[in-house]
Amino acid sequence: MTTVTYKCPSCGGGLTFDPATQTYKCEYCLSDYTQEQLEALETDKAAKEQAAQAGAQAEAQPTMQTAAQQTQEPQALLYTCPSCGAEIVTDETTAASFCFYCQNPVVLAGKLEGKYHPDFVLPFTLDKEKATKIFTDWIAQKKYVPKAFFAKEQIEKMTGVYFPYWLYSCQVDGSLDAEGLKLRTWVAGTMQYTETQKFGVTRQGNMKVEHVTRNALKKADKQLVEGVLPFDMKGLKPFSMGYLSGFVAEKRDMEEQDFAPGVEEEVKSYAASNLQSSIGEYSSVSVQKQETNIVSPEWRYALMPVWTLTYREKKSDKIYYFACNGQTGKICGKLPVDITKLGILFAEIFLPLAALLLAVGYWI
């Protein structure tokens, strides 16, 4: 499944984002461009077109487009799988042929609504060749997987998918009042003495929290999304449709309010734990008052890279999958089991053992 977002300035061919070099490559004239170079070329082109339009008669100009409008990114489109319901986001030039999840054909559902436009994207750094190598090395260690799962035509279906995540950031202001006890015990003659010292303890501080990550899918394929965590957020970039070139993306089906109570409680608990751990060494500590307040909470929507390979078993109609983090290479999977291979193993181990036991029992 290939998408084309940008045209090559040199020959007009389609540009595809290359994870290895983090540039856009032309498959025809072999030119490559960075994101910044393409934006500069588009801006310059738009400025020249605007200047040319300015010289024409006003009545011959129905609507003057600004440079910003000229460089507006392509519209995102939404493809919906009629079988499993997966919603795949890509650009308007994509010819989608199958669902990356269940392998069924997908159909065009319409343009993506503006509120689903991501804030950030974490570009792929592993290309398909590296992801395939990781898969083949991993599957070579599995003895009872059907050959159909790792057949050549199956591996060719490996798809680079940007999955949706919510990122939560905030500052936590905390304060703590406690009483700390220090006990000292000693023996003099036949007497044992215990000295108790009481200390008032006060702690205050603030903690910056960045990019608490939550999977924005509640569908069955969320296992693919959660199993490859974590990502290195240092690679986040402002979203551009160009990063989808050569890939597809899932549409989120969960909103920030679905996570807010749990995440806020988690952040507050973590901040309170840090305050308590800073108290120092006492025999015991009794917390008398503790407050944590969240300041400037912010939710941002991001797409993260995952290589996926799914397999539908014909007999059971179950879906099995392999997923590889497109940035770190971390893998997870749910594998089918070849009953025939297990049967052979059973025959090789159990039958000789059973025959041995029968023989021993006969002679005894």
Side-chain angles (χ1 to χ4, degrees), residues 149-206:
F149 184 75
F150 54 92
K152 181 180 179 181
E153 59 272 18
Q154 171 71 8
I155 295 177
E156 288 176 351
K157 294 179 180 179
M158 185 177 291
T159 308
V161 182
Y162 283 105
F163 281 104
Y165 295 85
W166 281 110
L167 305 180
Y168 177 76
S169 301
C170 69
Q171 177 178 301
V172 185
D173 294 340
S175 62
L176 178 148
D177 293 327
E179 181 181 77
L181 298 181
K182 284 189 176 181
L183 304 179
R184 186 170 70 92
T185 303
W186 70 95
V187 176
T190 59
M191 300 294 292
Q192 177 175 300
Y193 298 88
T194 300
E195 178 187 71
T196 301
Q197 293 179 302
K198 294 183 178 181
F199 297 88
V201 180
T202 300
R203 291 289 185 271
Q204 289 183 335
N206 56 68

Side-chain angles (χ1 to χ4, degrees), residues 352-364:
L353 180 61
L356 178 63
L357 291 175
L358 288 172
V360 171
Y362 175 81
W363 290 107
I364 291 177

